[in-house]
Amino acid sequence: MLKEAIYHRPKDAFAYAYDERTLHIRLRTKKDDVDAVFLLFGDPYVWEDGAWQFDKQPMQKSGCDALFDYWFIAMQPPYRRLRYGFELHDEENVLVYTEKGFYDKAPTDDTAYYFCFPFLNRIDVFDAPSWVKDTVWYQIFPERFANGNPKLNPPHTLPWGSVDPTTTSFFGGDFEGIIERLDYLVELGINGIYFTPIFKAPSNHKYDTIDYFEIDPQFGDKQTFKRLVEACHEKGIRVMLDAVFNHSGYYFAPFQDVLKNGESSRYKDWFHIRHFPLQTEPIPNYDTFAFVPEMPKLNTENPEVKQYLLDVATYWIREFDIDGWRLDVANEVDHQFWREFRQAVKAIKPDVYILGEIWHDAMPWLRGDQFDAVMNYPFTNGALNYFAKGHVCASEFANTIVHVWHNYPQNVNEVAFHLLGSHDTPRILTQCDEQKEKVKLMFTFQLSFSGSPCIYYGDEIGLTGGQDPLCRKCMVWEKEKQDRDLFAHVQTLISLRKQYRALRFGEFHVLETNDETNHIAYVKTYDDETIVCVLNNGEAPLEWTVPFSLADKTVTNLWTNEQMTEQTMTIEPYGFRMLLVQATSAE
Ligand code: ARE
């Protein structure tokens, strides 16, 4: 046993409260190194004859990545407290692993050896809104979705879709256009919309806010926005807005005041200014997003700034009943601000969804006191590397996904935001070298995986485009120019996802991978529902044999509704199967 690889910490993804009564405990060991693991556990205050009393239960292997195996157990300690250690077995040895190190035999003279989950306090349980698990998001970049009111067109608006977008082009997308197209979204089956920023700002993307309390006039006014939210709600669609609180825009009044009045501005502490007078060249002498002078970083530690932004956050919930906030550049804003943000927004709408934009490991924001989820780009990159770019083979992909899954607690994974692309990444069809079948496979994976999936507008009808600004082309509305076959594929996946809880939040297990054929098979299970997905990410047909007997099972191809009678099937190149497995009822 490689002791150096054995790891546990009584916090975060390794020990957490899943709900008010249930603790989840995980352990990591070197891959294929340990045969069995048992949890040794007890209440810290139960002793007999001077010996601490503990029980023993087997842990399950919940997956493996490139280097490690992960072991899992769920338990409900009667008094909500736990001391615990691990008993590990390989062919020759038994080893006890505790917080104080390794022992041959479990010590009983003191509980101080053991890991400690002191108390499961209700208020500390990670508590994201449950509706998120049932939501399929659709991301809209408002400038490019639909132009419903040409009277609002900003100067120099180009004819819709006439040319590829540049960083400065305008096409006049607006709220009226979105309202007119809601039925299209209902037909697709989504039930949440994430809007990139809508507040007053000069650019086409609106990440450079002038006024956080005003709608940008190119999109409409507050009344139209209210109508939009109401129309969405009537159709069962939730609405999430983009909060750009890391920085303001250059034309934000307080920043303009600092530009004008320099050190004597009453707003000088609203920003992070290194010296006066302000200069933008060669790089700004004040903190910004990246080195973009138009985006001065806000000082969220300043009580006035904090109050101002919290007022913004609560205003749009209170007055317009929005359902979620996506937080731009969330990782560069201080944690304390986000803690207060959470308290402020949840106080007026307890089930509002808080989604941070963080591209890397985000555990420190996901402990229950800040965000409900992050945009899970490690998931995105795993999928792109395997399906689109072919940078990794099936086993490496499986390792990545299992790693991503074990990076966070299960209740965090259940509401994680799983996107394939966004306004910040090249279009998925473009990344797939315009091979549509690969895009279909990616969608199949995304929409059969747990969490809250999001579709970037137009990906479902085959929009193309490279990096920003090319990934922000105008939505295509002429049906004959839309890829309706791709649309139907996504539509079917969404409707299956709605129908089967196993797809929405079932446990994920890799059944097999094969690097020669480059296919992966995995199972999603929830209660008595079991769905097997086989994705052939290879250029040859795949002969695939169901790895269990059909004698006592009914296996239905969810795509055709046909029952399988043969154990072996041929899956076309870049094809897939989604199979519902049911025990054949004894007549
Ligand atoms: C503009 C041009 C770009 C040009 C850029 C250079 O359009 O072509 O490359 O300027 O300065 C908004 C607009 C962008 C605009 C930008 C600056 O949407 O079009 O770009 O403002 O004016 C990192 C951050 C992450 C951020 C991305 C873009 O961590 O927070 O970079 N995403 C948000 C929004 C953006 C928005 C802003 C932030 C600013 O979603 O749309 O940009 O408000 C790695 C790293 C990530 C990195 C990621 C992408 O994986 O781990 O940290 O994200 O790459 O670069």
Side-chain angles (χ1 to χ4, degrees):
M1 253 182 267
L2 186 73
K3 285 183 184 166
E4 292 89 330
I6 298 171
Y7 183 75
H8 176 82
R9 209 164 179 199
K11 203 58 194 154
D12 292 343
F14 284 91
Y16 57 91
Y18 177 69
D19 59 31
E20 286 177 39
R21 299 229 56 89
T22 316
L23 282 185
H24 282 182
I25 296 190
R26 286 176 177 155
L27 177 77
R28 198 189 80 181
T29 59
K30 179 181 184 294
K31 191 167 183 161
D32 295 332
D33 188 42
V34 174
D35 298 331
V37 179
F38 295 84
L39 188 80
L40 311 179
F41 64 97
D43 187 280
Y45 302 106
V46 178
W47 289 72
E48 244 178 69
D49 302 329
W52 179 53
Q53 301 298 299
F54 63 85
D55 287 318
K56 177 169 156 177
Q57 265 188 32
M59 295 179 76
Q60 305 302 321
K61 200 192 276 192
S62 56
C64 62
D65 61 18
L67 301 174
F68 303 109
D69 284 341
Y70 296 91
W71 303 84
F72 172 83
I73 191 168
M75 40 185 14
Q76 300 198 327
Y79 304 104
R80 295 193 278 160
R81 346 169 255 236
L82 203 72
R83 287 287 164 124
Y84 60 98
F86 304 91
E87 187 182 285
L88 298 98
H89 295 237
D90 69 5
E91 269 175 18
E92 287 148 27
N93 298 306
V94 176
L95 211 57
V96 172
Y97 171 52
T98 72
E99 186 171 289
K100 301 283 179 288
F102 292 94
Y103 298 88
D104 295 334
K105 204 168 160 287
T108 56
D109 58 322
D110 197 341
T111 54
Y113 295 100
Y114 291 90
F115 291 107
C116 177
F117 199 100
F119 202 89
L120 198 170
N121 289 298
R122 164 75 196 85
I123 199 167
D124 292 333
V125 180
F126 177 85
D127 187 19
S130 61
W131 57 264
V132 175
K133 299 181 203 171
D134 300 325
T135 302
V136 177
W137 296 96
Y138 189 84
Q139 180 188 346
I140 290 183
F141 189 86
E143 222 284 307
R144 305 291 153 74
F145 191 62
N147 186 341
N149 183 356
K151 285 197 209 117
L152 303 179
N153 286 357
H156 313 298
T157 293
L158 298 160
W160 193 254
S162 54
V163 286
D164 281 351
T166 67
T167 52
T168 53
S169 37
F170 287 90
F171 294 91
D174 55 31
F175 292 157
E176 204 60 62
I178 299 167
I179 294 171
E180 283 167 11
R181 297 295 178 174
L182 284 181
D183 285 339
Y184 167 85
L185 299 179
V186 171
E187 189 195 346
L188 181 62
I190 61 94
N191 53 358
I193 303 179
Y194 150 42
F195 292 98
T196 58
I198 60 168
F199 306 139
K200 193 168 178 209
S203 63
N204 53 28
H205 52 68
K206 314 276 174 223
Y207 281 98
D208 47 350
T209 321
I210 295 177
D211 190 336
Y212 292 86
F213 284 103
E214 289 302 328
I215 299 283
D216 192 279
Q218 86 158 92
F219 296 150
D221 55 17
K222 286 185 177 169
Q223 262 159 354
T224 330
F225 180 62
K226 198 159 222 164
R227 253 199 308 128
L228 170 58
V229 178
E230 282 167 4
C232 286
H233 285 173
E234 268 164 33
K235 294 176 191 296
I237 296 173
R238 313 252 180 179
V239 173
M240 174 158 65
L241 295 185
D242 209 320
V244 191
F245 291 176
N246 173 65
H247 49 268
S248 72
Y250 194 79
Y251 297 101
F252 182 50
F255 191 68
Q256 286 294 310
D257 194 87
V258 182
L259 280 170
K260 189 165 153 231
N261 298 314
E263 242 173 317
S264 56
S265 165
R266 71 168 293 263
Y267 294 105
K268 76 176 166 57
D269 294 328
W270 277 46
F271 304 92
H272 298 266
I273 292 158
R274 294 196 287 274
H275 354 259
F276 290 92
L278 295 195
Q279 65 184 48
T280 54
E281 299 286 337
I283 55 162
N285 64 353
Y286 48 92
D287 292 343
T288 52
F289 168 70
F291 293 108
V292 181
E294 295 79 23
M295 296 181 164
K297 182 171 168 65
L298 286 160
N299 178 7
T300 42
E301 289 178 41
N302 177 312
E304 276 179 23
V305 175
K306 193 184 289 188
Q307 196 52 53
Y308 172 81
L309 294 174
L310 296 182
D311 286 348
V312 171
T314 49
Y315 173 77
W316 293 97
I317 299 174
R318 207 175 336 99
E319 302 295 325
F320 296 87
D321 199 21
I322 63 159
D323 308 289
W325 277 115
R326 178 266 192 193
L327 314 171
D328 190 55
V329 203
N331 58 345
E332 297 190 25
V333 175
D334 63 272
H335 290 282
Q336 187 53 27
F337 176 81
W338 291 133
R339 289 190 190 101
E340 292 179 42
F341 174 91
R342 182 180 186 89
Q343 301 216 334
V345 297
K346 297 270 178 183
I348 54 171
K349 189 162 184 172
D351 69 346
V352 74
Y353 182 48
I354 305 176
L355 169 68
E357 190 219 6
I358 297 187
W359 293 56
H360 50 82
D361 181 2
M363 196 62 242
W365 290 268
L366 293 168
R367 293 185 174 133
D369 57 342
Q370 294 166 64
F371 306 163
D372 294 319
V374 290
M375 298 175 89
N376 206 355
Y377 278 103
F379 165 91
T380 316
N381 292 331
L384 286 170
N385 283 336
Y386 175 56
F387 295 108
K389 303 177 185 164
H391 286 175
V392 299
C393 53
S395 63
E396 291 168 298
F397 171 63
N399 287 340
T400 305
I401 294 302
V402 171
H403 183 83
V404 165
W405 186 257
H406 285 86
N407 212 26
Y408 296 128
Q410 185 178 324
N411 36 10
V412 170
N413 288 327
E414 285 170 357
V415 292
F417 193 81
H418 286 145
L419 65 167
L420 296 175
S422 72
H423 65 300
D424 287 339
T425 57
R427 286 279 177 185
I428 49 175
L429 184 54
T430 300
Q431 303 215 52
C432 287
D433 274 338
E434 309 222 354
Q435 293 181 58
K436 183 172 83 176
E437 299 312 311
K438 291 187 176 180
V439 174
K440 283 188 174 176
L441 270 191
M442 281 182 83
F443 274 127
T444 308
F445 182 70
Q446 179 198 28
L447 289 160
S448 61
F449 198 67
S450 300
S452 208
C454 182
I455 296 160
Y456 180 47
Y457 83 95
D459 277 352
E460 77 285 7
I461 47 126
L463 280 196
T464 56
Q467 189 62 50
D468 154 29
L470 292 171
C471 56
R472 301 170 180 181
K473 285 186 198 168
C474 292
M475 179 67 179
V476 169
W477 290 111
E478 298 91 332
K479 269 204 167 163
E480 58 289 358
K481 290 193 189 152
Q482 296 182 334
D483 188 332
R484 295 304 293 181
D485 171 60
L486 190 52
F487 179 92
H489 178 81
V490 178
Q491 190 185 35
T492 307
L493 286 169
I494 295 176
S495 81
L496 287 173
R497 187 177 178 86
K498 280 195 185 142
Q499 208 177 333
Y500 295 103
R501 290 167 306 167
L503 294 177
R504 295 204 296 284
F505 32 77
E507 274 184 48
F508 169 88
H509 286 288
V510 177
L511 203 57
E512 64 179 55
T513 59
N514 183 316
D515 292 342
E516 260 153 54
T517 55
N518 206 24
H519 79 270
I520 179 170
Y522 54 91
V523 200
K524 294 289 306 282
T525 45
Y526 186 84
D527 280 351
D528 55 352
E529 250 175 51
T530 301
I531 294 176
V532 173
C533 302
V534 195
L535 311 188
N536 178 14
N537 190 27
E539 50 196 25
L542 172 73
E543 292 291 304
W544 194 72
T545 303
V546 184
F548 47 79
S549 154
L550 297 186
D552 55 349
K553 301 215 172 42
T554 310
V555 178
T556 313
N557 179 337
L558 286 179
W559 220 256
T560 59
N561 250 330
E562 283 164 359
Q563 273 186 24
M564 285 184 47
T565 47
E566 303 289 327
Q567 193 88 17
T568 298
M569 64 190 86
T570 307
I571 306 180
E572 56 284 9
Y574 303 108
F576 65 92
R577 293 290 182 278
M578 283 173 94
L579 307 169
L580 177 68
V581 182
Q582 291 161 301
T584 310
S585 50
E587 303 269 317

